[in-house]
Amino acid sequence: MRDALASSGTQIVTVALRRADLSGQHDPYANILEFVDREKYLLLPNTSGAMNAEEAVRLARLAVTAGLPNWVKLEIHPDPRYLLPDPIETFKAAEILVKEGFVVLPYINADPVLAKRLEDIGTATVMPLGAPIGSNRGIETRRQIEIIIEQSTIPVVVDAGIGAPSHAALAMEMGADAVLVNTAIAIAADPCRMAQAFKAATEAGRSAYEIGLAEESFSASATSPLTGFLNEQ
Amino acid sequence: MSFVESFNQLPDHKSTLLKRFSSLIAPKTAQELEAMARESQAITRKHFGRTMRMFAPLYLSNECINNCKYCGFSRDNPILRVTLSIDQVIKEARHLTDQGFRNILLVAGEHPKFVSDGYLEACIEAIRPFVPTIGIEVGPMEAAEYARMVQAGAEGLVVYQETYDRTEYADLHTAGPKKNFDWRLECPERGYEGGFRRIGIGALFGLADWRWEALALAAHLEFLQQRCWKSSFTVSFPRMRPAAGQFRPKFSLTDREYVQLIAAFRMAFPEVGIVLSTREDQALRDALFPLGITTVSAGSHTEPGGYTGEGSDDLHLTVRGKRVELDTPTSGSKECSRATEQFGIADTRSPAQVSEALRTMGLDPVWKDWDEAILSTARLATATAATTMVLP
C-alpha cells in the first residue's frame, strides 16, 4: 500500500475508522493508520459503517479525540449491498459537523440539488459517485455530475465506481477537481504500476480540461461544403 | 409476509435470480467448474478486495434442552457439561483478543435455565469494552429479546436452519423447542427487527440433499436482502463432522460440490459474505480461501472453556437431562477435565499460522472491522468534551 500511495501521487488518503484503533493506544491488529505517512499525506478519516447521522457524527468526534485530523469523509450508507449514500442522514450529519468546525467532505449520490444544499451549509467539497462503490463501472452518472460541476463553487471529487484510468481521465476532463480511487488499484495484479497509470490518466484529464476540449459533434463537418455549387448570393 | 410463505412455494415459484441459481448448482463438467471458480474469485476480489475477516467462536455453555440427532450437545447425550461464569467468559475472550481476534461469536446451547437472556446480556456487556465486534449464535428468541442483545452490545446474529428439508428436520429434531421449523425459519427476520446489522444464515450440509439446501438457502438470502435491506448477510455451508452421539449423515457434499456451492453463491450474491470455519481441514481450507470466502475462523475450540481450561471447576455429567456430579471433577483423567466439544475441529492451526497462510496467498487478514463506538453512546460524553477543546 505504501508503494502504491507513493506512485499514485495522491495527496489525501482516506481510512475507515472502524478498522483503526480509536482508543488512542497501539493495537497491532488494527494498525492501518501506521501504513500512512502523515508527513506526506493528509489523512482523511471516513465514517464508513455508520448508518445514520448520529453514528457518523459520533465517529467523527472520536477520530479527533484519537488525534486524527478534523477532516472527515462523511459516508453514511445504510444499505450494505450497494453502499449507496443516504442523502437525508448525510445532510443532517453535515450540518452538525460543519457547525462543530469539521472540514466535511460528503459522499453523495450524483444529485445536483443535494450538492448545492450541502454547499450552502458549508461543506468543503461534494463527492458524487460515478457508480456504486467497488463496482468499477465508471462514470454512469455522467450527465448529473456535469450539472454538479457546472453549478458548484466548491471542489467536486468523483468518488466511487472509477475502475479504469480512462474513467479517472474522463472525470477530470469533465472538470472534476479530484478523483478518489481504491478498488481498481487495491485489487490490481501490480497495485504500484496501476497507481502510476491512474496518476498519468488523472493528470492527462486535468490538462485536457484546462486546455479545453474541442466540442463534440454528431455529424461530420466537411471542409468543402456540399452545397457550395448553389452559389447563392 | 414472512419467509415461511415464500419458502412453502419452492421449488415451483422461483424468481429470476433463483432460476439462475438453480442452473449454477446443476451438475457441471470439470471445465465448467473451473470457469465458475475463476469467476467466483474475480467477483470476490472486486467486491471485497484482498481482505479476509477473522473471527473466533467462544462457547459459553453446552447445556441444551433440545435433542438433535446430529449434535454433540443434545440433551440426552451423556457428555461433560458446563456453563461458564462471567469471569471465565472474560478470561476466554481475553485469550482470543491476545491472539488478535477483534470479532468474537458467542455460542451456547439452548437452555432457559443456564442460558437465560440475562446471562447472555451479562456476557456481552462484560467483553464489550475490549471486543469491538460481538455476534451471538444461541437459541431462537423473540424480536424484543433480540433487541435487548443489540442494546447490550451485540451487532451480529448467526442462526442456521440446519436443514431446509421439513421431513428430515422433523426426523432429526426429536425433542425440545427446536422442533418448530417455522419458528426457526423466521429467526433472521426477528433478528433484523431486533436491530442486528450482520446476520449469518446457513445449513448444515449432510442432513438433506445438498441442492435443495442450497436452493432454499439462496431463496432465504434473496428474501432477506429485499426485506431486511439495512443488514449485511453472510452464508455458511458447514459440513457434518464427527460428534458425540455417533450420528451418521444420510447425505453428503463432496469437495467438488463444495467448490461449486461457494462459486454459485458468489455468482448469484456478489456482496454476501461467505464464512468458512475450522470444520474443514487445512488443505481444503487453503484451497478454498481464495475462491470466494470472506470470513474465517482459526484455532477454534467448540467446548466451553476450550481456550483456557476455564470452567473445569463446575464440570458435570448429564444423563438423560439430569445433572450427575463427577466424583473428582478436576483430578480425573485428561478427558474428564474439559467439557465435551460440539464437534471435532479439522484445521488445528493457530490463528497466527492461518494468518500467515493467508498472507502467503496474497490475502490480508482483517482483525478489526467495526468499532463499538458506532453504536455506543458511552464514549460520546468524553469524545464531545475533547472535541470542544480541539475545535474552537
Side-chain angles (χ1 to χ4, degrees), chain A residues 17-23 27-30 48-52 54-55 58-59 61-62 64-65 70 78-82 100-102 134-136 183 186-189, chain B residues 45-47 49-51 53 97-100 102 197 225-226 229-232 271 366-371 373-377 379-380 382-384 386-387 390-392:
Chain A
L17 290 168
R18 66 197 159 105
R19 294 225 175 133
D21 174 48
L22 299 178
S23 66
D27 181 351
Y29 293 94
S48 163
M51 279 178 27
N52 56 45
E54 188 193 338
E55 292 171 8
R58 193 179 302 144
L59 267 175
R61 288 172 180 163
L62 266 172
V64 168
T65 57
N70 67 339
D79 159 22
R81 210 170 152 196
Y82 293 105
E100 292 184 8
F102 280 90
S135 68
N136 292 335
T183 310
I187 69 171
Chain B
R45 290 292 80 79
K46 191 176 125 184
H47 284 273
R50 296 175 185 277
T51 60
R53 287 155 184 77
T97 54
D98 286 348
Q99 290 183 319
R102 300 291 179 269
R197 299 193 174 204
Q225 281 196 331
Q226 284 167 352
W229 66 281
K230 286 186 179 179
S231 186
S232 64
E271 311 87 3
V366 172
W367 301 89
K368 180 175 183 289
D369 194 34
W370 184 255
D371 199 280
I374 297 176
L375 294 178
S376 156
T377 47
R379 278 158 74 189
L380 188 58
T382 38
T384 314
T387 312
V390 177
L391 306 168

Side-chain angles (χ1 to χ4, degrees), chain B residues 8-293:
Chain B
N8 288 340
Q9 291 174 6
L10 283 175
D12 301 331
H13 291 85
K14 281 191 276 190
S15 67
T16 312
L17 179 67
L18 289 182
K19 282 177 191 156
R20 181 168 163 249
F21 184 81
S22 295
S23 69
L24 289 169
I25 57 171
K28 302 283 176 205
T29 65
Q31 276 176 320
E32 286 168 337
L33 185 62
E34 175 64 23
M36 279 179 74
R38 283 180 190 278
E39 188 169 344
S40 170
Q41 180 178 56
I43 296 171
T44 308
R45 290 292 80 79
K46 191 176 125 184
H47 284 273
F48 294 87
R50 296 175 185 277
T51 60
M52 188 70 82
R53 287 155 184 77
M54 310 292 294
F55 82 101
L58 195 172
Y59 279 69
L60 304 172
S61 171
N62 59 355
E63 302 282 357
C64 198
I65 48 168
N66 295 307
N67 266 334
C68 312
K69 287 183 183 172
Y70 52 86
C71 179
F73 291 172
S74 282
R75 186 191 71 190
D76 289 348
N77 280 348
I79 61 164
L80 294 173
R81 299 187 194 257
V82 72
T83 300
L84 299 183
S85 71
I86 303 299
D87 281 346
Q88 291 167 338
V89 172
I90 292 174
K91 283 183 187 148
E92 288 268 296
R94 284 271 181 218
H95 177 87
L96 291 170
T97 54
D98 286 348
Q99 290 183 319
F101 292 107
R102 300 291 179 269
N103 178 350
I104 291 180
L105 177 66
L106 300 178
V107 187
E110 184 169 2
H111 203 301
K113 186 175 150 206
F114 297 99
V115 189
S116 62
D117 55 353
Y119 169 75
L120 281 172
E121 284 164 88
C123 290
I124 296 166
E125 278 161 5
I127 65 168
R128 183 180 185 172
F130 60 97
V131 181
T133 306
I134 303 169
I136 57 168
E137 182 174 2
V138 298
M141 297 181 188
E142 297 281 3
E145 294 173 290
Y146 281 138
R148 290 210 296 277
M149 299 300 130
V150 172
Q151 189 62 37
E155 51 88 41
L157 173 69
V158 173
V159 56
Y160 299 157
Q161 186 62 25
E162 319 297 14
T163 174
Y164 285 91
D165 183 319
R166 279 187 189 276
T167 313
E168 295 296 338
Y169 190 97
D171 178 57
L172 291 162
H173 301 95
T174 53
K178 198 168 173 179
K179 286 170 77 171
N180 189 337
F181 182 92
D182 288 353
W183 167 249
R184 193 168 186 88
L185 202 57
E186 290 170 340
C187 254
E189 293 157 68
R190 293 196 304 273
Y192 179 71
E193 203 186 321
F196 282 106
R197 299 193 174 204
R198 284 184 304 117
I199 298 177
I201 61 171
L204 188 49
F205 285 79
L207 302 181
D209 172 62
W210 78 268
R211 289 196 166 88
W212 167 253
E213 302 284 30
L215 179 70
L217 190 54
H220 204 171
L221 206 47
E222 186 188 29
F223 176 93
L224 291 170
Q225 281 196 331
Q226 284 167 352
R227 304 301 197 291
C228 310
W229 66 281
K230 286 186 179 179
S231 186
S232 64
F233 292 94
T234 57
V235 281
S236 186
F237 322 114
R239 294 194 289 190
M240 280 305 306
R241 291 282 305 156
Q246 308 304 321
F247 173 76
R248 291 195 180 279
K250 280 198 275 185
F251 299 85
S252 69
L253 176 74
T254 64
D255 288 356
R256 190 178 190 281
E257 289 160 345
Y258 204 175
V259 169
Q260 187 180 355
L261 187 60
I262 291 169
F265 268 93
R266 176 52 68 231
M267 289 163 76
F269 301 95
E271 311 87 3
V272 163
I274 299 181
V275 183
L276 183 63
S277 80
T278 52
R279 280 172 181 263
E280 302 300 335
D281 66 24
Q282 173 176 344
L284 186 70
R285 290 230 304 166
D286 283 355
L288 294 178
F289 285 153
L291 294 190
I293 305 300

